């Protein structure tokens, strides 16, 4: 089994371990949290935490709570994003959205609970003991800063306010670098922080993560035009229907494809800062660029 | 001016200082956050942080970020609780609810952003420098543990699932001890933690906070029957209309009033553990019990 498969298995198991226990009175919210965590996610963010930690000479067991935390944050953002008052998506990761199954109120609370649980896990006495309070505080701050108003939520705000109007490439860049990019960058940085990496490595990891983050989004926009709902596990052609600006609508299909290749090259160059042969991170960048779902 | 007035002024000023800056692309969400923070709140939770810190010999300036964080968390919970898919309340703290003014999507994001901002503030390099990473981690963990599935959110879940059915006093106790009590307890404990208080003081603060938390809720249930929408700044008689179990419906009005007095006595006894003459905490317990709004 490859390291990638090992990681995915480790992450998937640990994500469920890290859920709160199922007390009778709260069992439904834990079930709703698990439902979305169990989706067929790519686990890109936790993979970045683990692999950048390893690439910087760190112990992935120390990085594991942070890996699960970033996936919980990502999952909370998807649940809230799918709600009727937001994107109103009934389908996610190939199955009905959280609110379709559990109702809007429970989905809202399951999202809130996942965000809160992420901080519970990384601030737990076990994590403090394993990683040290200073490192935990630095990594937790990196997470918080990247998912707030000038991070992920800020991106959601721009996205929401851009509905039904065409926006400039600058605004589109801002939106995606925050909405998707910030948590991807935080994941890579946190992996480095846990390993005690130096500034130059953190910068290289940031460069890599930024590049694959934008490339990922452009591929998303391309697939929204070229793929099918069945294949993607979420509704396609929504952008067009809603007159949303996308990389494809702004740059055209060819330029979009070319930009994905350029960004992937940039990501691969950033990996040169790391001594070891970073096949997993190379493969990840390449596979995200060439993915068909 | 009394210490209480000083504290309220300090908290109100600092809450606004601690908001993210108003970048052009995100200004609406910051405005929505500020709108609800600016409400005519009692600031009970931040007062507990500051005053228990002081009562344990700590420096309230060190406690200030935590005081603002608990109020931000409280405010996020109110915004989400008022949403149409939850309690569907159009009125809060004497003015239209967040979603009535900013729309549901923005209210959802403003709530998410306040929760996230709370962690950003307490995990910031400034707070770490002032308080130390170990203390920050302990206080932040205390916050996270008390607002998750076995804290505030868990209480919301019980509340939601108890709609349109009568519940036992045990379930009512569980619901309120989590929904309202957990964050009040966390606030008192965090004040002690920042001051480096010993276990016996943390336990006494917990006892005090638990008692005033339940008393607060019983008074809420009493006022829902005896007060008016104008006076409370939120809709009254909702519990009755929705057939919700309350302390008054379960214990009756007289027993409810008696229980408030007993709990207040219990809170005052707990204060004996603190050397100094804790007028502010005494006054707070008494005024919450005898409040008419």
């Amino acid at each position: 089994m490859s390291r990638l498969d090992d990681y995915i298995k480790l992450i998937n198991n640990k994500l469920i371990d890290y859920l709160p226990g199922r007390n009778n009175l709260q069992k439904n919210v834990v079930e709703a949290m698990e439902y979305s965590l169990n989706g067929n996610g790519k686990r890109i963010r936790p993979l970045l935490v683990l692999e950048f930690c390893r690439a910087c000479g760190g112990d992935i067991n120390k990085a594991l709570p942070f890996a699960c935390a970033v996936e919980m944050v990502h999952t909370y953002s998807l649940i809230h994003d799918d709600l009727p008052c937001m994107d109103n998506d009934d389908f996610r990761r190939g199955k009905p959205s959280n609110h379709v199954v559990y109702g809007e109120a429970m989905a809202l609370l399951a999202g809130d609970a996942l965000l809160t649980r992420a901080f519970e896990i990384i601030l737990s006495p076990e994590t403090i003991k394993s990683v040290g309070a200073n490192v935990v505080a630095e990594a937790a701050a990196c997470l918080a800063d990247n998912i707030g108003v000038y991070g992920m939520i800020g991106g959601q705000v721009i996205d929401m306010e851009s509905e039904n109007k065409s926006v400039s490439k600058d605004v589109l860049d801002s939106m995606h670098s925050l909405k998707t990019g910030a948590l991807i960058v935080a994941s890579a940085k946190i992996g480095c922080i846990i390993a005690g990496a130096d500034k130059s490595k953190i910068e290289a990891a940031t460069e890599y993560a930024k590049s694959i983050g934008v490339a990922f989004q452009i591929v998303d926009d391309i697939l929204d035009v070229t793929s099918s709902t069945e294949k993607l596990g979420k509704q396609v052609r929504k952008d067009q229907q809603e007159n949303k600006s996308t990389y494809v609508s702004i740059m055209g299909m060819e330029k979009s494809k070319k930009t994905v290749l350029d960004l992937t090259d940039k990501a691969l160059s950033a990996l040169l800062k790391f001594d070891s042969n970073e096949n997993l991170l190379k493969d990840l960048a390449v596979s995200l660029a060439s993915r068909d779902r």
Side-chain angles (χ1 to χ4, degrees), chain A residues 7 11 43-56 58-71 122 139 143 183-195 208 280-281 284:
Chain A
Y7 278 173
I11 292 161
R43 312 298 190 206
I44 296 167
R45 295 157 191 80
L47 284 175
L48 292 176
V49 175
L50 296 184
E51 187 60 2
F52 271 109
C53 176
R54 200 197 63 82
C56 296
D59 173 357
I60 64 156
N61 290 307
K62 295 189 176 188
L64 206 46
F66 298 87
C68 292
V70 298
E71 188 66 10
I122 60 183
L143 178 62
L183 185 55
I184 291 178
V185 168
S187 301
K189 282 172 89 168
I190 288 170
C192 299
I193 291 169
I194 306 301
Y208 170 91
L280 194 155
L281 293 169
L284 183 68

Side-chain angles (χ1 to χ4, degrees), chain A residues 96-108:
Chain A
S97 302
N98 200 290
H99 66 272
V100 172
V101 180
Y102 296 96
E104 281 181 55
M106 191 61 92
L108 174 70

Side-chain angles (χ1 to χ4, degrees), chain A residues 124-158:
Chain A
S124 74
E126 296 74 39
T127 312
I128 303 283
K129 200 178 158 199
S130 151
V131 184
N134 275 301
V135 174
V136 165
E138 191 183 346
C142 177
L143 178 62
D145 290 347
N146 278 290
I147 62 177
V149 166
Y150 294 119
M152 191 177 69
I153 293 173
Q156 296 266 37
V157 171
I158 303 174

Side-chain angles (χ1 to χ4, degrees), chain A residues 18-256:
Chain A
Y18 272 132
L19 280 173
R22 282 153 195 267
N23 179 311
N24 192 41
L25 289 170
Q26 279 88 10
K27 69 174 176 359
N28 290 340
V29 72
V30 180
E31 195 185 309
M33 292 160 84
E34 183 171 354
Y35 175 81
S36 289
L37 276 181
N38 255 339
N40 186 23
K42 299 180 192 71
R43 312 298 190 206
I44 296 167
R45 295 157 191 80
L47 284 175
L48 292 176
V49 175
L50 296 184
E51 187 60 2
F52 271 109
C53 176
R54 200 197 63 82
C56 296
D59 173 357
I60 64 156
N61 290 307
K62 295 189 176 188
L64 206 46
F66 298 87
C68 292
V70 298
E71 188 66 10
M72 286 187 179
V73 169
H74 175 53
T75 306
Y76 122 76
S77 77
L78 298 181
I79 295 176
H80 280 191
D81 206 24
D82 287 340
L83 284 170
C85 70
M86 297 284 294
D87 279 359
N88 195 18
D89 274 316
D90 286 349
F91 221 52
R92 166 71 70 178
R93 288 174 168 176
K95 58 184 192 179
S97 302
N98 200 290
H99 66 272
V100 172
V101 180
Y102 296 96
E104 281 181 55
M106 191 61 92
L108 174 70
L109 291 174
D112 290 346
L114 282 167
L115 171 57
T116 307
R117 189 70 183 166
F119 284 102
E120 277 183 81
I121 293 168
I122 60 183
L123 293 162
S124 74
E126 296 74 39
T127 312
I128 303 283
K129 200 178 158 199
S130 151
V131 184
N134 275 301
V135 174
V136 165
E138 191 183 346
C142 177
L143 178 62
D145 290 347
N146 278 290
I147 62 177
V149 166
Y150 294 119
M152 191 177 69
I153 293 173
Q156 296 266 37
V157 171
I158 303 174
D159 192 12
M160 194 184 85
E161 297 193 330
S162 306
E163 259 173 33
N164 297 312
K165 62 182 176 193
S166 58
V167 298
S168 68
K169 180 157 181 300
D170 279 355
V171 172
L172 198 69
D173 281 339
S174 291
M175 177 179 98
H176 290 307
S177 73
L178 295 175
K179 187 175 166 172
T180 329
L183 185 55
I184 291 178
V185 168
S187 301
K189 282 172 89 168
I190 288 170
C192 299
I193 291 169
I194 306 301
D198 64 23
K199 209 179 143 193
S200 75
K201 282 193 176 149
I202 294 180
E203 281 170 5
T206 302
E207 179 80 7
Y208 170 91
K210 273 190 182 163
S211 303
I212 66 163
V214 180
F216 185 89
Q217 188 54 53
I218 301 178
V219 172
D220 246 18
D221 288 352
I222 293 172
L223 291 176
D224 188 68
V225 176
T226 60
S227 189
S228 66
T229 297
E230 295 69 42
K231 198 150 199 175
L232 285 186
K234 64 180 178 186
Q235 202 189 323
V236 296
R237 319 278 187 276
K238 259 196 102 171
D239 298 340
Q240 246 171 307
Q241 278 166 27
E242 291 170 2
N243 244 334
K244 255 189 169 175
S245 297
T246 70
Y247 282 109
V248 176
S249 76
I250 289 178
M251 303 193 298
M253 185 60 84
E254 286 321 299
K255 179 83 190 293
S256 295

